[in-house]
Amino acid sequence: MKKFLTIVLSLILYALVIFVILDKTNTIDVKIIKKEKSEDEYINNGLTLSDTNLSNSNGKEDKFYYNQLDETAKIIYDKLVENKEILKSGTAQIEFTRNEFDNLLRKSDGLNILSNEYQNAVDALRYDNVEFYYIDFSKMILKTITYTRGRDVSYKVYLACNENEENYLDESITKDDIDIQIEELEEKADEILKGAQGSNYQKIQYIHNWLIDNIKYDTTYSKPDTRNIYGALISGDVVCEGYAKSFKYLMDSVEIPCVIVAGEGTNSEGSTENHAWNYVELDGKWYAIDCTWDDPIIIGGGKLSNSAKYKYFLKGESEFNQSHFPSGQFTENGKVFEYPPLSINNYR
């Protein structure tokens, strides 16, 4: 009996030793190390970086306004994009497929409707694809040729320049100049975007800051290209439209959804004027950014404070729409486009 008890106690002791060993083996010693903040982690602007900031790019928004067009306007839009290289000639004549607009043109007001659809297509194209900056679409007109055979009437439609005119925004420019400018823009964008690293939030912030630090508002309103990407990224002097278009151009390059918004803005002095800014998508919601008003003219010089630099950065509807009033209309009597619904609250 004594021998039996000794064996039992030995087995119990052995089991306890094994249990302790296994328990120690499965224990993970966790040490929390406090990491010092580095300048590369974030730019101190009062906003924080959380896990939700670390989202991947989800594609550029280059057909936002296109998708709101009627089918007729989409045909015109597509034809312009298809003939992008031909448009550089300055005297392009673009023909549509025979009979493409026959049903429309047989209506009593068909030609007027077609002209309106052309304007809508151009409005959408200029704000979806800012790289068409060198074309003055108002110098191009729709022309029709009517073919009658008995009771059958058909039409040939094509786009051409006004007589003795080129479709360039700048009358002194040539196709070779345009090719050089486009190469300059692509090289400049590559140079800028080397610094746009990290999360989508960090890329948006970097591009916003680059524009503010490197371009300025043209108070003379007389310099060339003040409303386009060339004036912003190469010349460095623009008005609000130039800020908004260059921001979209760079957002498209890093494939973060962004649209240009037109409307009116009421500044701190209570003055209301035509204005342009951007909406950008981040973590599944849309936020407003106004690079122009985040780059105020400082009387007497001095450094721009963070409170001024980020006053209109990633703002929601409840705050932003106190001073910004989107219209959805890019030209007088043009189509009223819809904008993405803004987040109610600011991004944080």
Side-chain angles (χ1 to χ4, degrees), residues 42-87:
Y42 64 89
I43 302 169
N44 184 16
N45 65 351
L47 299 173
T48 59
L49 287 174
S50 64
D51 290 341
T52 57
N53 297 123
L54 305 177
S55 58
N56 295 320
S57 298
N58 50 357
K60 66 180 180 179
E61 190 64 77
D62 61 349
K63 281 199 169 183
F64 182 80
Y65 295 116
Y66 170 87
N67 290 330
Q68 298 182 49
L69 295 173
D70 294 338
E71 287 307 310
T72 299
K74 284 182 177 178
I75 291 170
I76 298 170
Y77 182 118
D78 288 336
K79 185 65 73 171
L80 290 168
V81 172
E82 179 187 328
N83 288 274
K84 184 176 180 179
E85 286 300 312
I86 294 174
L87 284 168

Short mmCIF file of all heavy atoms in Angstrom, two decimals, residues 42-87:
data_model
loop_
_atom_site.label_atom_id
_atom_site.label_comp_id
_atom_site.label_asym_id
_atom_site.label_seq_id
_atom_site.Cartn_x
_atom_site.Cartn_y
_atom_site.Cartn_z
N TYR A 42 3.65 62.34 -39.56
CA TYR A 42 2.54 63.23 -39.84
C TYR A 42 3.01 64.68 -39.82
O TYR A 42 4.06 65.00 -39.26
CB TYR A 42 1.39 63.05 -38.83
CG TYR A 42 1.75 63.42 -37.41
CD1 TYR A 42 1.57 64.72 -36.95
CD2 TYR A 42 2.27 62.48 -36.52
CE1 TYR A 42 1.90 65.08 -35.66
CE2 TYR A 42 2.60 62.84 -35.22
CZ TYR A 42 2.41 64.14 -34.80
OH TYR A 42 2.73 64.47 -33.52
N ILE A 43 2.24 65.51 -40.43
CA ILE A 43 2.50 66.95 -40.37
C ILE A 43 1.55 67.51 -39.33
O ILE A 43 0.34 67.31 -39.40
CB ILE A 43 2.26 67.60 -41.74
CG1 ILE A 43 3.16 66.95 -42.79
CG2 ILE A 43 2.50 69.10 -41.69
CD1 ILE A 43 2.81 67.34 -44.20
N ASN A 44 2.06 68.18 -38.35
CA ASN A 44 1.25 68.65 -37.23
C ASN A 44 0.29 69.75 -37.65
O ASN A 44 0.67 70.88 -37.87
CB ASN A 44 2.17 69.16 -36.11
CG ASN A 44 1.37 69.56 -34.89
OD1 ASN A 44 0.21 69.20 -34.75
ND2 ASN A 44 1.99 70.30 -33.99
N ASN A 45 -0.98 69.36 -37.81
CA ASN A 45 -1.98 70.35 -38.21
C ASN A 45 -3.25 70.24 -37.37
O ASN A 45 -4.30 70.72 -37.74
CB ASN A 45 -2.33 70.18 -39.69
CG ASN A 45 -3.00 68.85 -39.96
OD1 ASN A 45 -3.04 68.01 -39.10
ND2 ASN A 45 -3.50 68.66 -41.16
N GLY A 46 -3.11 69.54 -36.25
CA GLY A 46 -4.28 69.38 -35.40
C GLY A 46 -5.10 68.17 -35.73
O GLY A 46 -6.02 67.81 -35.00
N LEU A 47 -4.80 67.50 -36.85
CA LEU A 47 -5.50 66.29 -37.23
C LEU A 47 -4.66 65.08 -36.83
O LEU A 47 -3.45 65.18 -36.69
CB LEU A 47 -5.76 66.27 -38.74
CG LEU A 47 -6.61 67.42 -39.27
CD1 LEU A 47 -6.66 67.38 -40.78
CD2 LEU A 47 -8.02 67.36 -38.72
N THR A 48 -5.30 63.95 -36.63
CA THR A 48 -4.57 62.76 -36.22
C THR A 48 -4.64 61.69 -37.28
O THR A 48 -5.55 61.66 -38.10
CB THR A 48 -5.16 62.19 -34.91
OG1 THR A 48 -6.54 61.88 -35.14
CG2 THR A 48 -5.03 63.20 -33.78
N LEU A 49 -3.67 60.79 -37.24
CA LEU A 49 -3.66 59.65 -38.15
C LEU A 49 -4.09 58.41 -37.37
O LEU A 49 -3.46 58.03 -36.40
CB LEU A 49 -2.25 59.42 -38.71
CG LEU A 49 -1.78 60.44 -39.75
CD1 LEU A 49 -0.33 60.19 -40.10
CD2 LEU A 49 -2.63 60.37 -40.98
N SER A 50 -5.17 57.79 -37.78
CA SER A 50 -5.63 56.56 -37.15
C SER A 50 -5.57 55.44 -38.16
O SER A 50 -5.22 55.65 -39.32
CB SER A 50 -7.06 56.73 -36.64
OG SER A 50 -7.93 56.95 -37.74
N ASP A 51 -5.94 54.24 -37.73
CA ASP A 51 -5.90 53.10 -38.66
C ASP A 51 -6.78 53.33 -39.88
O ASP A 51 -6.49 52.86 -40.96
CB ASP A 51 -6.35 51.82 -37.95
CG ASP A 51 -5.31 51.36 -36.94
OD1 ASP A 51 -4.15 51.80 -37.04
OD2 ASP A 51 -5.67 50.56 -36.07
N THR A 52 -7.88 54.06 -39.71
CA THR A 52 -8.79 54.29 -40.82
C THR A 52 -8.17 55.18 -41.89
O THR A 52 -8.64 55.23 -43.01
CB THR A 52 -10.10 54.94 -40.35
OG1 THR A 52 -9.78 56.16 -39.67
CG2 THR A 52 -10.86 54.03 -39.41
N ASN A 53 -7.11 55.91 -41.53
CA ASN A 53 -6.44 56.74 -42.53
C ASN A 53 -5.66 55.90 -43.53
O ASN A 53 -5.34 56.36 -44.62
CB ASN A 53 -5.45 57.71 -41.87
CG ASN A 53 -6.14 58.69 -40.95
OD1 ASN A 53 -5.81 58.76 -39.79
ND2 ASN A 53 -7.09 59.44 -41.47
N LEU A 54 -5.29 54.71 -43.12
CA LEU A 54 -4.35 53.93 -43.92
C LEU A 54 -5.09 53.13 -44.99
O LEU A 54 -4.94 51.93 -45.13
CB LEU A 54 -3.54 53.00 -43.01
CG LEU A 54 -2.81 53.74 -41.88
CD1 LEU A 54 -2.09 52.76 -40.98
CD2 LEU A 54 -1.83 54.75 -42.44
N SER A 55 -5.90 53.82 -45.77
CA SER A 55 -6.67 53.18 -46.83
C SER A 55 -5.90 53.23 -48.13
O SER A 55 -5.04 54.08 -48.34
CB SER A 55 -8.02 53.89 -47.00
OG SER A 55 -7.82 55.25 -47.30
N ASN A 56 -6.20 52.32 -49.00
CA ASN A 56 -5.54 52.29 -50.30
C ASN A 56 -6.26 53.19 -51.29
O ASN A 56 -7.45 53.48 -51.14
CB ASN A 56 -5.52 50.86 -50.85
CG ASN A 56 -4.67 49.94 -50.01
OD1 ASN A 56 -3.60 50.34 -49.55
ND2 ASN A 56 -5.13 48.72 -49.80
N SER A 57 -5.55 53.62 -52.32
CA SER A 57 -6.17 54.42 -53.37
C SER A 57 -7.26 53.59 -54.05
O SER A 57 -7.13 52.38 -54.19
CB SER A 57 -5.12 54.86 -54.40
OG SER A 57 -4.14 55.67 -53.80
N ASN A 58 -8.32 54.23 -54.47
CA ASN A 58 -9.41 53.47 -55.08
C ASN A 58 -9.87 54.07 -56.40
O ASN A 58 -11.03 54.03 -56.73
CB ASN A 58 -10.59 53.34 -54.11
CG ASN A 58 -11.00 54.67 -53.52
OD1 ASN A 58 -10.39 55.70 -53.79
ND2 ASN A 58 -12.04 54.66 -52.71
N GLY A 59 -8.95 54.63 -57.15
CA GLY A 59 -9.24 55.03 -58.52
C GLY A 59 -9.60 56.49 -58.68
O GLY A 59 -10.26 57.08 -57.83
N LYS A 60 -9.15 57.07 -59.78
CA LYS A 60 -9.47 58.47 -60.03
C LYS A 60 -10.90 58.63 -60.52
O LYS A 60 -11.46 57.71 -61.12
CB LYS A 60 -8.48 59.07 -61.04
CG LYS A 60 -8.54 58.49 -62.44
CD LYS A 60 -7.52 59.18 -63.33
CE LYS A 60 -7.55 58.64 -64.75
NZ LYS A 60 -6.58 59.31 -65.62
N GLU A 61 -11.46 59.78 -60.27
CA GLU A 61 -12.84 60.09 -60.64
C GLU A 61 -12.82 60.94 -61.90
O GLU A 61 -12.87 62.16 -61.83
CB GLU A 61 -13.54 60.80 -59.49
CG GLU A 61 -15.03 60.96 -59.67
CD GLU A 61 -15.76 59.64 -59.70
OE1 GLU A 61 -15.98 59.03 -58.65
OE2 GLU A 61 -16.11 59.19 -60.82
N ASP A 62 -12.71 60.30 -63.08
CA ASP A 62 -12.58 61.06 -64.32
C ASP A 62 -13.83 61.00 -65.20
O ASP A 62 -13.82 61.48 -66.33
CB ASP A 62 -11.36 60.60 -65.12
CG ASP A 62 -11.44 59.13 -65.52
OD1 ASP A 62 -12.33 58.42 -65.00
OD2 ASP A 62 -10.61 58.70 -66.34
N LYS A 63 -14.93 60.42 -64.67
CA LYS A 63 -16.18 60.40 -65.44
C LYS A 63 -17.37 60.74 -64.55
O LYS A 63 -18.50 60.34 -64.84
CB LYS A 63 -16.37 59.03 -66.10
CG LYS A 63 -15.53 58.84 -67.36
CD LYS A 63 -16.06 57.73 -68.23
CE LYS A 63 -15.39 57.74 -69.59
NZ LYS A 63 -15.93 56.70 -70.49
N PHE A 64 -17.12 61.50 -63.52
CA PHE A 64 -18.20 61.82 -62.59
C PHE A 64 -19.29 62.63 -63.28
O PHE A 64 -20.49 62.34 -63.14
CB PHE A 64 -17.65 62.60 -61.39
CG PHE A 64 -18.69 62.93 -60.37
CD1 PHE A 64 -19.11 61.97 -59.46
CD2 PHE A 64 -19.29 64.18 -60.34
CE1 PHE A 64 -20.10 62.26 -58.52
CE2 PHE A 64 -20.27 64.48 -59.41
CZ PHE A 64 -20.68 63.52 -58.50
N TYR A 65 -18.91 63.65 -64.03
CA TYR A 65 -19.90 64.48 -64.71
C TYR A 65 -20.38 63.82 -66.00
O TYR A 65 -21.54 63.99 -66.39
CB TYR A 65 -19.33 65.88 -64.96
CG TYR A 65 -19.06 66.61 -63.66
CD1 TYR A 65 -17.77 66.96 -63.28
CD2 TYR A 65 -20.10 66.88 -62.78
CE1 TYR A 65 -17.53 67.60 -62.07
CE2 TYR A 65 -19.87 67.50 -61.56
CZ TYR A 65 -18.58 67.86 -61.21
OH TYR A 65 -18.34 68.47 -60.00
N TYR A 66 -19.54 63.06 -66.62
CA TYR A 66 -19.93 62.29 -67.81
C TYR A 66 -21.13 61.40 -67.50
O TYR A 66 -22.07 61.31 -68.30
CB TYR A 66 -18.75 61.44 -68.27
CG TYR A 66 -19.08 60.41 -69.34
CD1 TYR A 66 -19.06 60.75 -70.69
CD2 TYR A 66 -19.40 59.09 -69.00
CE1 TYR A 66 -19.35 59.81 -71.67
CE2 TYR A 66 -19.69 58.15 -69.97
CZ TYR A 66 -19.67 58.52 -71.30
OH TYR A 66 -19.97 57.59 -72.27
N ASN A 67 -21.10 60.75 -66.36
CA ASN A 67 -22.16 59.81 -66.00
C ASN A 67 -23.50 60.48 -65.76
O ASN A 67 -24.52 59.80 -65.66
CB ASN A 67 -21.74 59.01 -64.76
CG ASN A 67 -20.61 58.04 -65.05
OD1 ASN A 67 -20.48 57.54 -66.16
ND2 ASN A 67 -19.77 57.80 -64.06
N GLN A 68 -23.53 61.79 -65.69
CA GLN A 68 -24.79 62.53 -65.50
C GLN A 68 -25.35 63.07 -66.82
O GLN A 68 -26.43 63.68 -66.82
CB GLN A 68 -24.56 63.69 -64.53
CG GLN A 68 -24.13 63.25 -63.14
CD GLN A 68 -23.95 64.41 -62.19
OE1 GLN A 68 -24.83 65.28 -62.07
NE2 GLN A 68 -22.83 64.46 -61.50
N LEU A 69 -24.64 62.85 -67.91
CA LEU A 69 -25.07 63.37 -69.20
C LEU A 69 -26.14 62.49 -69.84
O LEU A 69 -26.23 61.29 -69.57
CB LEU A 69 -23.87 63.45 -70.15
CG LEU A 69 -22.75 64.43 -69.79
CD1 LEU A 69 -21.57 64.25 -70.74
CD2 LEU A 69 -23.24 65.87 -69.82
N ASP A 70 -26.94 63.11 -70.73
CA ASP A 70 -27.84 62.35 -71.58
C ASP A 70 -27.01 61.60 -72.63
O ASP A 70 -25.85 61.94 -72.87
CB ASP A 70 -28.84 63.28 -72.27
CG ASP A 70 -29.80 63.93 -71.27
OD1 ASP A 70 -29.96 63.38 -70.16
OD2 ASP A 70 -30.36 65.00 -71.61
N GLU A 71 -27.63 60.63 -73.27
CA GLU A 71 -26.90 59.80 -74.24
C GLU A 71 -26.30 60.62 -75.38
O GLU A 71 -25.20 60.35 -75.85
CB GLU A 71 -27.82 58.70 -74.80
CG GLU A 71 -28.12 57.59 -73.81
CD GLU A 71 -26.85 56.97 -73.22
OE1 GLU A 71 -25.95 56.61 -74.00
OE2 GLU A 71 -26.77 56.86 -71.99
N THR A 72 -27.02 61.64 -75.83
CA THR A 72 -26.51 62.47 -76.93
C THR A 72 -25.23 63.18 -76.52
O THR A 72 -24.25 63.22 -77.25
CB THR A 72 -27.57 63.51 -77.35
OG1 THR A 72 -28.74 62.83 -77.81
CG2 THR A 72 -27.04 64.41 -78.46
N ALA A 73 -25.24 63.76 -75.32
CA ALA A 73 -24.05 64.46 -74.83
C ALA A 73 -22.90 63.49 -74.60
O ALA A 73 -21.73 63.83 -74.82
CB ALA A 73 -24.39 65.20 -73.54
N LYS A 74 -23.20 62.27 -74.17
CA LYS A 74 -22.15 61.26 -73.97
C LYS A 74 -21.46 60.92 -75.29
O LYS A 74 -20.24 60.71 -75.33
CB LYS A 74 -22.73 60.00 -73.34
CG LYS A 74 -23.03 60.14 -71.86
CD LYS A 74 -23.57 58.83 -71.28
CE LYS A 74 -23.79 58.94 -69.78
NZ LYS A 74 -24.36 57.69 -69.21
N ILE A 75 -22.24 60.86 -76.36
CA ILE A 75 -21.65 60.58 -77.68
C ILE A 75 -20.66 61.67 -78.05
O ILE A 75 -19.55 61.40 -78.54
CB ILE A 75 -22.77 60.46 -78.75
CG1 ILE A 75 -23.60 59.20 -78.52
CG2 ILE A 75 -22.17 60.45 -80.16
CD1 ILE A 75 -24.86 59.11 -79.36
N ILE A 76 -21.04 62.93 -77.83
CA ILE A 76 -20.17 64.06 -78.15
C ILE A 76 -18.92 64.04 -77.27
O ILE A 76 -17.80 64.22 -77.75
CB ILE A 76 -20.94 65.38 -77.99
CG1 ILE A 76 -22.12 65.43 -78.97
CG2 ILE A 76 -20.01 66.57 -78.21
CD1 ILE A 76 -23.09 66.57 -78.74
N TYR A 77 -19.11 63.83 -75.98
CA TYR A 77 -18.00 63.75 -75.01
C TYR A 77 -17.00 62.67 -75.45
O TYR A 77 -15.79 62.91 -75.52
CB TYR A 77 -18.60 63.43 -73.65
CG TYR A 77 -17.68 63.34 -72.46
CD1 TYR A 77 -17.83 64.22 -71.39
CD2 TYR A 77 -16.70 62.35 -72.35
CE1 TYR A 77 -17.02 64.14 -70.26
CE2 TYR A 77 -15.89 62.25 -71.22
CZ TYR A 77 -16.06 63.13 -70.18
OH TYR A 77 -15.27 63.05 -69.06
N ASP A 78 -17.53 61.47 -75.74
CA ASP A 78 -16.67 60.35 -76.14
C ASP A 78 -15.89 60.68 -77.42
O ASP A 78 -14.71 60.31 -77.55
CB ASP A 78 -17.50 59.09 -76.37
CG ASP A 78 -18.01 58.48 -75.06
OD1 ASP A 78 -17.39 58.73 -74.01
OD2 ASP A 78 -19.03 57.77 -75.10
N LYS A 79 -16.55 61.36 -78.34
CA LYS A 79 -15.90 61.71 -79.60
C LYS A 79 -14.76 62.70 -79.37
O LYS A 79 -13.71 62.60 -80.01
CB LYS A 79 -16.92 62.29 -80.57
CG LYS A 79 -16.38 62.58 -81.96
CD LYS A 79 -15.95 61.33 -82.71
CE LYS A 79 -17.12 60.52 -83.17
NZ LYS A 79 -16.70 59.40 -84.09
N LEU A 80 -14.94 63.62 -78.47
CA LEU A 80 -13.89 64.59 -78.15
C LEU A 80 -12.68 63.89 -77.51
O LEU A 80 -11.53 64.17 -77.86
CB LEU A 80 -14.42 65.68 -77.23
CG LEU A 80 -15.41 66.66 -77.85
CD1 LEU A 80 -16.09 67.50 -76.78
CD2 LEU A 80 -14.72 67.56 -78.87
N VAL A 81 -12.95 62.99 -76.58
CA VAL A 81 -11.86 62.24 -75.94
C VAL A 81 -11.13 61.38 -76.97
O VAL A 81 -9.90 61.31 -76.98
CB VAL A 81 -12.40 61.37 -74.79
CG1 VAL A 81 -11.31 60.45 -74.24
CG2 VAL A 81 -12.96 62.25 -73.67
N GLU A 82 -11.88 60.73 -77.82
CA GLU A 82 -11.31 59.87 -78.86
C GLU A 82 -10.40 60.65 -79.81
O GLU A 82 -9.41 60.13 -80.32
CB GLU A 82 -12.47 59.23 -79.65
CG GLU A 82 -12.07 58.33 -80.79
CD GLU A 82 -13.27 57.89 -81.61
OE1 GLU A 82 -14.37 57.75 -81.02
OE2 GLU A 82 -13.12 57.69 -82.83
N ASN A 83 -10.72 61.92 -80.02
CA ASN A 83 -9.95 62.76 -80.95
C ASN A 83 -9.05 63.76 -80.23
O ASN A 83 -8.77 64.84 -80.75
CB ASN A 83 -10.91 63.50 -81.89
CG ASN A 83 -11.55 62.57 -82.91
OD1 ASN A 83 -11.00 62.31 -83.97
ND2 ASN A 83 -12.73 62.07 -82.56
N LYS A 84 -8.59 63.39 -79.07
CA LYS A 84 -7.76 64.28 -78.26
C LYS A 84 -6.52 64.76 -79.02
O LYS A 84 -6.18 65.95 -79.00
CB LYS A 84 -7.33 63.55 -76.97
CG LYS A 84 -6.53 64.41 -76.01
CD LYS A 84 -6.23 63.64 -74.73
CE LYS A 84 -5.45 64.47 -73.75
NZ LYS A 84 -5.17 63.73 -72.49
N GLU A 85 -5.86 63.87 -79.70
CA GLU A 85 -4.65 64.24 -80.44
C GLU A 85 -4.98 65.14 -81.63
O GLU A 85 -4.25 66.08 -81.93
CB GLU A 85 -3.91 62.99 -80.92
CG GLU A 85 -3.18 62.23 -79.83
CD GLU A 85 -2.12 63.09 -79.13
OE1 GLU A 85 -1.34 63.74 -79.85
OE2 GLU A 85 -2.11 63.12 -77.89
N ILE A 86 -6.09 64.85 -82.29
CA ILE A 86 -6.49 65.65 -83.45
C ILE A 86 -6.83 67.07 -83.02
O ILE A 86 -6.56 68.04 -83.75
CB ILE A 86 -7.69 64.99 -84.16
CG1 ILE A 86 -7.26 63.65 -84.76
CG2 ILE A 86 -8.26 65.89 -85.25
CD1 ILE A 86 -8.39 62.84 -85.35
N LEU A 87 -7.41 67.22 -81.84
CA LEU A 87 -7.77 68.55 -81.34
C LEU A 87 -6.55 69.45 -81.17
O LEU A 87 -6.65 70.67 -81.21
CB LEU A 87 -8.51 68.43 -80.01
CG LEU A 87 -9.97 67.98 -80.09
CD1 LEU A 87 -10.49 67.62 -78.71
CD2 LEU A 87 -10.83 69.07 -80.73
#
